[in-house]
Amino acid sequence: MRPVARLMMACAVGVVAAGSWAVAVGGGYPRGDGGTRQAGPGGLSGPAASIDRLLSEAYPPGEPGAVVRVSKAGVVLLEKGYGFADVGRKLPATPDTVFRLASVTKAFTGTAVLMLVERGAIALDDPVTKHLPSSPPAWRDVTVRHLLSHTSGLPNYLDRPNSMEWAAREYSVQELIDSFKDWPAAFAPGERSAYSNSNYVLLGAIIEKVSGVPFDRFVETSIFAPLGMTATACGSSVRDLSRLATAYEPARTADDQLDWTRLLVARPYSFSAVYAVGSCVSSLRDLVRFHDGLVGGRLIGAAAVARSLAPAALRAGVAPAMSEGGWQLDAIGGRRAVMRGGALPGVCTWFLTMPDDEVSVILLSNRTPGKPRCGMLAVQVAGLAAGGPRRNDPAPAP
């Protein structure tokens, strides 16, 4: 499978912080509000102008839009909003607009787990049953490491009939676990890697059990507050919706086909249904603060970050496309790339970096992925920022 095709298939309810990759690979990633240099004044030129044209066409005025930040070698090439955060009220999308983040939540969840590992409260090789003793016997060989790296074999609890109707309701953490605890495993733990949101439901429950506080409270006090991420919250802590972008999805025709000419307010998807999997909201600028916290060692140490970026260990060998911390490992035009994409109804998020080229791209959108395909856009943007394929490297397949 081509790298970009594999990238698109991996998109499910994520974003990951550039800082984590930078520390691991020595990429020297740009600092955010304080340390990143902004490109010079005047009109856009070079790669920034090309990126701006691409995104202006993808997110035209008057429609649900997106915000993007592109950095290379310590310089912000582009930080800009396109289209509307709310079409009805004609509110523009800006770097301060708050978006539902889908699986960017997993970056916070994974960081929280690694913080507890550094404190000695959790070990990566702890079995799930140690912290969640009511777990079914079939999970006795599943460890925290398996959950983080999507190598547990647990089925994805969101893959169910009538999933939209199911996800519109409210759930407790235990109800989420009960909804899949009796489902058969897809494979034995450590046999291979397969993305499953169920892994991060269990990680959220373990965080709560070990810390003694709800998941949303733990990430708020341990991550968001120390970093000044005032626009970021998760689950039941999401109270101020005044800055939240309205999510839009395509209408459906009489024969149940998507009609991309008509974008409607998206169907409801409850915060509790996606819990530690995808319940957080944030802004572009808050994600930069999260990035800086990781780069600056304010959350976890460099050694922990490096371990989380290593290819996931399997019973035999490693998973070349998945890291120990659950990030996708890939390549764009022969260049190394680390990425995570996420989607909910009316939400598309993407974060990728090309560490050898010191390129990072964050893209947050309030329209269902498809037209445009925000993950493919992020790949194109990164390629433009990096300057095309390396000399003597094969060009990416069309």
Side-chain angles (χ1 to χ4, degrees):
M1 184 179 295
R2 300 197 308 267
V4 169
R6 191 165 65 240
L7 176 159
M8 296 305 297
M9 289 180 67
C11 179
V13 257
V15 176
V16 73
S20 59
W21 305 320
V23 175
V25 299
Y29 269 76
R31 304 304 297 254
D33 295 337
T36 305
R37 303 190 308 278
Q38 181 70 45
L44 297 174
S45 62
S50 299
I51 293 167
D52 185 49
R53 284 194 298 270
L54 177 69
L55 294 171
S56 295
E57 293 174 3
Y59 300 103
E63 295 185 11
V67 294
V68 67
R69 176 187 169 96
V70 186
S71 299
K72 181 177 182 181
V75 176
V76 178
L77 300 182
L78 187 68
E79 183 179 273
K80 186 175 177 180
Y82 300 84
F84 283 137
D86 188 291
V87 175
R89 293 184 292 164
K90 293 182 169 51
L91 296 178
T94 76
D96 291 316
T97 300
V98 175
F99 290 81
R100 290 193 70 163
L101 294 181
S103 282
V104 69
T105 302
K106 292 185 180 71
F108 304 148
T109 305
T111 299
V113 168
L114 294 176
M115 293 173 79
L116 290 169
V117 168
E118 287 195 330
R119 297 174 189 177
I122 297 175
L124 288 176
D125 292 320
D126 283 349
V128 170
T129 52
K130 175 178 178 179
H131 302 290
L132 304 176
S134 62
S135 299
W139 296 357
R140 63 182 178 276
D141 294 328
V142 176
T143 67
V144 172
R145 188 188 304 274
H146 290 139
L147 300 179
L148 273 173
S149 60
H150 295 288
T151 57
S152 68
L154 297 181
N156 188 347
Y157 80 104
L158 292 176
D159 289 344
R160 60 177 66 240
N162 303 313
S163 61
M164 283 300 305
E165 291 80 3
W166 184 89
R169 298 191 290 269
E170 300 293 335
Y171 298 93
S172 68
V173 177
Q174 190 58 53
E175 285 172 335
L176 292 180
I177 296 173
D178 289 345
S179 76
F180 65 88
K181 71 177 183 181
D182 296 325
W183 292 6
F187 52 86
E191 184 178 283
R192 56 189 174 90
S193 175
Y195 192 94
S196 174
N197 291 298
S198 303
N199 294 315
Y200 280 68
V201 170
L202 296 179
L203 287 176
I206 290 171
I207 291 168
E208 293 197 5
K209 183 67 178 294
V210 171
S211 69
V213 298
F215 167 77
D216 58 339
R217 181 62 178 163
F218 183 84
V219 292
E220 179 183 352
T221 58
S222 300
I223 299 175
F224 308 151
L227 297 181
M229 298 170 62
T230 58
T232 307
C234 303
S236 61
S237 294
V238 180
R239 301 185 184 94
D240 180 10
L241 302 180
S242 62
R243 292 165 59 192
L244 184 64
T246 301
Y248 295 89
E249 63 180 345
R252 289 185 176 271
T253 63
D255 57 350
D256 204 33
Q257 300 299 307
L258 298 180
D259 180 2
W260 288 98
T261 66
R262 293 192 302 132
L263 296 176
L264 308 176
V265 174
R267 292 163 291 174
Y269 212 98
S270 77
F271 287 101
S272 66
V274 284
Y275 178 47
V277 170
S279 71
C280 296
V281 304
S282 189
S283 68
L284 190 68
R285 286 179 175 156
D286 261 14
L287 289 182
V288 175
R289 295 182 180 100
F290 178 62
H291 156 276
D292 286 353
L294 287 172
V295 171
R298 296 179 61 188
L299 299 176
I300 55 176
V305 173
R307 286 194 302 270
S308 77
L309 267 292
L314 302 176
R315 290 184 175 186
V318 297
M322 183 65 67
S323 81
E324 285 282 325
W327 318 133
Q328 185 187 358
L329 308 178
D330 217 313
I332 300 173
R335 301 165 184 259
R336 289 192 300 153
V338 185
M339 59 195 77
R340 172 89 73 178
L344 287 171
V347 176
C348 188
T349 57
W350 209 272
F351 197 117
L352 71 82
T353 69
M354 301 172 71
D356 296 331
D357 302 277
E358 300 184 65
V359 167
S360 65
V361 177
I362 307 172
L363 191 153
L364 308 176
S365 175
N366 63 329
R367 57 193 293 164
T368 293
K371 291 186 179 181
R373 297 183 181 276
C374 76
M376 191 61 70
L377 273 176
V379 169
Q380 291 177 278
V381 167
L384 288 169
R390 286 184 179 280
R391 185 175 300 174
N392 299 325
D393 280 351

